[in-house]
């Protein structure tokens, strides 16, 4: 998710060399590059992928961002398109 979209959805974030902390709706999520887990309000949860960083850009999995903003993610493999739908 781009910085502009994160701002639009009220998501705050702090980047470090090997981690990113995201804050939204009173919750705090901490991801570490190369790990398949996230700490959400001091509880460890596992993801189906790892946090990646390429050329200085940190990529949070779309499913995780959707959860943070209260959205649903779907993937259309035929046309290779990711869709994000806000719930409510």
């Amino acid at each position: 998710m781009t910085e502009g979209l994160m701002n639009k959805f009220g998501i705050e974030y702090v980047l470090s060399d090997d981690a990113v902390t995201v804050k939204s709706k009173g919750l705090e999520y901490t991801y570490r590059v190369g790990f398949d887990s996230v700490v959400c309000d001091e509880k460890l949860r596992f993801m189906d992928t790892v946090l990646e960083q390429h050329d200085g850009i940190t990529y949070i999995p779309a499913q995780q961002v959707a959860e943070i903003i209260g959205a649903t993610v779907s993937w259309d493999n035929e046309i290779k398109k990711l869709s994000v739908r806000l719930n409510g």
Side-chain angles (χ1 to χ4, degrees), residues 6 18 26 43 48 57 61 68 82:
M6 291 181 85
D18 67 346
K43 295 178 185 171
D48 60 357
I57 299 172
I68 291 168
L82 177 76

Side-chain angles (χ1 to χ4, degrees), residues 3-67:
E3 184 175 354
L5 284 174
M6 291 181 85
N7 291 335
K8 178 179 178 178
F9 289 111
I11 298 172
E12 299 175 38
Y13 63 95
V14 177
L15 295 171
S16 68
D17 289 340
D18 67 346
V20 60
T21 299
V22 177
K23 296 178 183 180
S24 179
K25 300 178 183 176
L27 295 174
E28 182 173 295
Y29 304 80
T30 302
Y31 302 88
R32 290 191 56 216
V33 174
F35 288 84
D36 66 348
S37 59
V38 56
V39 176
C40 177
D41 285 345
E42 300 182 11
K43 295 178 185 171
L44 183 65
R45 299 186 341 199
F46 290 92
M47 306 181 292
D48 60 357
T49 187
V50 299
L51 187 72
E52 295 185 17
Q53 192 175 63
H54 300 283
D55 298 325
I57 299 172
T58 303
Y59 296 90
I60 300 173
Q63 182 64 42
Q64 293 298 307
V65 176
E67 180 181 311

